């Protein structure tokens, strides 16, 4: 299904949108990638904004955003798409919405820790890799930054 059918919703803290995000995150990070539940379910969901892309009311892609008012930075985390929905541009659509929202909120930067195989995906959206590879949940990552214009 083309990405134009993706409906992106977002909400702060716990609730229906967070529940939908957790469904995706548990499937992708815990079941597929073997991330321990104690790392994935880190107690920060009540402090962050959750974005979820829905296809016909089914959650298929998600990301979590921690906003830092002091630095005007939005830290993107937990970007995931269900296996059977990958390759359709849904995560790109979701991230473009986050970028638009950050621009409208006058954020200065967005940053994230990208899994190394996903660096090219983020580069296409305008993120720039910086610094060395680091491990998070036994997975290689690199810090990436996006300057909001």
């Amino acid at each position: 299904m083309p990405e134009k059918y993706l409906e992106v919703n977002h909400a702060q803290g716990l609730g229906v949108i967070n529940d939908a995000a957790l469904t995706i995150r548990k499937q992708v990070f815990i079941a597929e990638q073997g991330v321990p539940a104690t790392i994935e379910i880190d107690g920060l969901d009540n402090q962050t904004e959750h974005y979820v892309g829905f296809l016909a009311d089914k959650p298929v892609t998600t990301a979590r955003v921690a906003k830092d008012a002091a630095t005007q930075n939005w830290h993107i985390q937990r970007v995931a798409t269900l296996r059977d929905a990958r390759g359709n541009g849904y995560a790109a659509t979701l991230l473009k919405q986050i970028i638009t929202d950050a621009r409208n909120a006058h954020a200065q930067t967005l940053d994230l820790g990208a899994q190394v195989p996903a660096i090219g995906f983020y580069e296409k959206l305008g993120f720039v890799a910086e610094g060395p590879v680091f491990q998070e949940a036994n997975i290689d990552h690199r810090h990436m930054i996006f300057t909001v214009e």
Side-chain angles (χ1 to χ4, degrees):
M1 189 175 274
E3 66 179 285
K4 67 182 178 180
Y5 294 104
L6 189 76
E7 179 183 341
V8 176
N9 292 317
H10 60 95
Q12 176 71 30
L14 304 179
V16 174
I17 298 298
N18 177 61
D19 292 346
L22 275 174
T23 298
I24 297 167
R25 288 168 43 196
K26 287 176 181 176
Q27 179 62 41
V28 173
F29 296 123
I30 297 171
E32 285 182 36
Q33 296 184 355
V35 173
T38 54
I39 292 175
E40 182 54 37
I41 312 301
D42 60 5
L44 298 177
D45 286 339
N46 63 333
Q47 303 168 35
T48 52
E49 182 107 5
H50 305 276
Y51 282 76
V52 177
F54 293 87
L55 289 178
D57 297 325
K58 178 186 177 192
V60 296
T61 190
T62 189
R64 181 172 88 172
V65 179
K67 300 175 184 177
D68 185 334
T71 64
Q72 291 298 304
N73 180 69
W74 286 21
H75 181 60
I76 301 171
Q77 307 166 309
R78 308 307 203 262
V79 178
T81 301
L82 293 176
R83 183 180 306 213
D84 63 355
R86 293 179 194 150
N88 294 297
Y90 300 138
T93 297
L94 186 88
L95 285 162
K96 287 174 187 175
Q97 183 63 57
I98 293 170
I99 291 167
T100 297
D101 291 353
R103 187 174 286 120
N104 291 339
H106 306 292
Q108 300 295 308
T109 55
L110 302 170
D111 78 324
L112 53 83
Q115 291 186 9
V116 169
I119 289 173
F121 164 76
Y122 292 110
E123 286 175 335
K124 289 177 186 170
L125 293 168
F127 286 81
V128 176
E130 54 182 34
V133 172
F134 64 91
Q135 289 264 311
E136 186 172 316
N138 295 318
I139 300 170
D140 286 342
H141 288 73
R142 257 188 101 197
H143 183 251
M144 299 191 79
I145 193 160
F146 180 96
T147 301
V148 180
E149 297 175 28

